[in-house]
Amino acid sequence: MPVQETNHISYQRSFYIEGGNFNYAGIVSTSIKSILKQMDFPSNVVRKCSIVCYESEINVVSYARKGVVNLTINSNTIQIEVIDEGPGIPNIDLAMQEGYSTATQKIREMGFGAGMGLHNIESYSDAFIISSELGKGTRLLMTINIKQ
Amino acid sequence: MKLRDVKEILDADVIVGEDKLDMEVNTAFGADLMSDVLSFAKSGSILLTGLTNDQVIRTADILDIAAIVLVRGKRANADTINLAKELKIPILSTKYILFETAGRLYAKGMVGCVEKVDNASARN
C-alpha cells in the first residue's frame, strides 16, 4: 500500500482588513508577501499568493465592512482564506465574469473596479472556492501549490 | 538598458531611487488600470502609468516591478513617495505622454513584457 502524502500545517497567521479604508489597502498583502519571501518559497509561488491576496484585499476594502485573511502554510500548499462581513454577492457566476463590476467611482480612481478581480484571483489560484451569503459576507479560499 | 538610460531617453526626474539607476531593465508594461497590471505585467519590468496613488506602489511591490515611470508630468504625493522609499521601488517622472513614453523606449530596444494578451502564458 502506498504511503499517503501528508500535508502538515507548518505556519498559520491571521490578518485583519478594515473595510472602506483605502489608505491601508494592500498592507496585508505586502506583509504576507514579505513573510513568504523570507521563507524562501519560489518566486512564482510568492507572486501567485501575493496577487490573489492583494485582489481579495482590495475587494474587502472596496465592498465590505471588515475582513480577515487566514494564511496557512502546509507542506504542499499555501492557503489564503479571506472572509468578509459585508453585503455578499447576489450572483457569483455573474461576479466571476471578466468585465462585470459594481465598483464605485472611488474604487475606479484607485485603479480597480474593472471587473477583473475575481477573475484574476481564480486564474492565479491552483484551486479556488467562493461562497457568499447576501447581507452577511463572502468567503474566498485560494490554494497555491508549492511545487508548481 | 539601464534605468539611467530610461531616465535619459525620457528626460525624466528621479523621484525615488537615485541609487538604483544602474539596474538593468528590458521590458515594460503601460496601463492606468491596476487590475490589468496585475493580470499581465511581469516581474522585473518597468511600469508606465499616469496613476499616482498608493495602489500603484502596492501593485508594483506585489509584482516585483523594477521601477515606476509616471507619465504626463504626474507627481505622487508625499505619502505615496514615502511608501515607495519604504518598499524600495524607484519612481521616475516624465513629461511625455504615455504613447510617446512607450514609443521612445521601444525605439531604443525596450519591449513589452507581453506582446499580446491572448497569450495564456501571460498569467504564469
Side-chain angles (χ1 to χ4, degrees):
Chain A
M1 203 176 130
V3 179
Q4 194 164 1
E5 266 193 56
T6 50
N7 198 11
H8 294 296
I9 292 177
S10 57
Y11 183 91
Q12 218 165 11
R13 192 169 154 190
S14 297
F15 304 82
Y16 297 89
I17 306 171
E18 191 187 333
N21 191 343
F22 288 95
N23 292 332
Y24 297 114
I27 202 163
V28 168
S29 308
T30 305
S31 310
I32 287 180
K33 185 194 171 198
S34 129
I35 290 167
L36 296 177
K37 225 174 162 178
Q38 273 171 22
M39 289 180 175
D40 263 340
F41 285 106
S43 61
N44 61 332
V45 171
V46 176
R47 176 185 164 90
K48 287 171 89 170
C49 291
S50 308
I51 293 174
V52 300
C53 188
Y54 186 49
E55 289 276 19
S56 310
E57 188 178 356
I58 294 292
N59 279 348
V60 174
V61 174
S62 300
Y63 300 107
R65 286 185 300 279
K66 61 177 178 176
V68 60
V69 180
N70 298 315
L71 170 69
T72 308
I73 301 173
N74 305 299
S75 36
N76 304 326
T77 60
I78 298 172
Q79 286 199 313
I80 298 167
E81 181 186 42
V82 183
I83 304 168
D84 73 44
E85 289 177 26
I89 302 171
N91 184 337
I92 290 178
D93 287 342
L94 192 58
M96 291 300 302
Q97 273 179 29
E98 207 171 339
Y100 179 80
S101 175
T102 59
T104 61
Q105 188 57 32
K106 175 74 194 162
I107 298 165
R108 292 177 199 271
E109 278 168 17
M110 307 291 297
F112 292 92
M116 302 283 287
L118 287 174
H119 186 82
N120 268 353
I121 292 169
E122 186 180 34
S123 59
Y124 280 112
S125 300
D126 292 310
F128 174 63
I129 296 168
I130 176 168
S131 59
S132 190
E133 197 175 334
L134 273 186
K136 286 200 130 179
T138 301
R139 172 181 180 263
L140 307 180
L141 179 64
M142 287 76 73
T143 305
I144 311 291
N145 298 331
I146 292 169
K147 273 191 188 157
Q148 289 289 317
Chain B
M1 66 178 74
K2 293 198 186 303
L3 191 57
R4 186 181 307 282
D5 302 320
V6 173
K7 169 186 152 54
E8 296 300 324
I9 293 164
L10 300 176
D11 190 20
D13 293 332
V14 180
I15 314 290
V16 177
E18 196 70 58
D19 56 326
K20 290 201 167 178
L21 294 177
D22 287 322
M23 178 196 293
E24 194 69 30
V25 286
N26 296 305
T27 59
F29 187 82
D32 287 353
L33 193 59
M34 291 304 110
S35 302
D36 276 353
V37 178
L38 287 165
S39 296
F40 305 116
K42 293 267 176 75
S43 59
S45 296
I46 61 169
L47 172 62
L48 318 177
T49 187
L51 200 69
T52 61
N53 60 30
D54 281 9
Q55 260 48 57
V56 176
I57 314 296
R58 296 267 180 217
T59 302
D61 176 57
I62 292 296
L63 293 175
D64 289 321
I65 292 290
I68 297 165
V69 178
L70 301 179
V71 300
R72 305 189 285 274
K74 302 269 182 181
R75 296 284 170 151
N77 68 33
D79 286 350
T80 302
I81 290 169
N82 284 335
L83 182 62
K85 282 182 185 161
E86 188 189 313
L87 295 173
K88 300 185 172 62
I89 300 169
I91 303 181
L92 274 59
S93 175
T94 177
K95 291 198 167 72
Y96 288 114
I97 60 171
L98 181 59
F99 182 86
E100 283 289 332
T101 303
R104 280 163 195 268
L105 292 175
Y106 194 89
K108 297 284 185 183
M110 184 167 281
V111 293
C113 62
V114 286
E115 203 170 319
K116 282 184 175 181
V117 297
D118 57 0
N119 182 351
S121 68
R123 288 200 172 91
N124 295 319

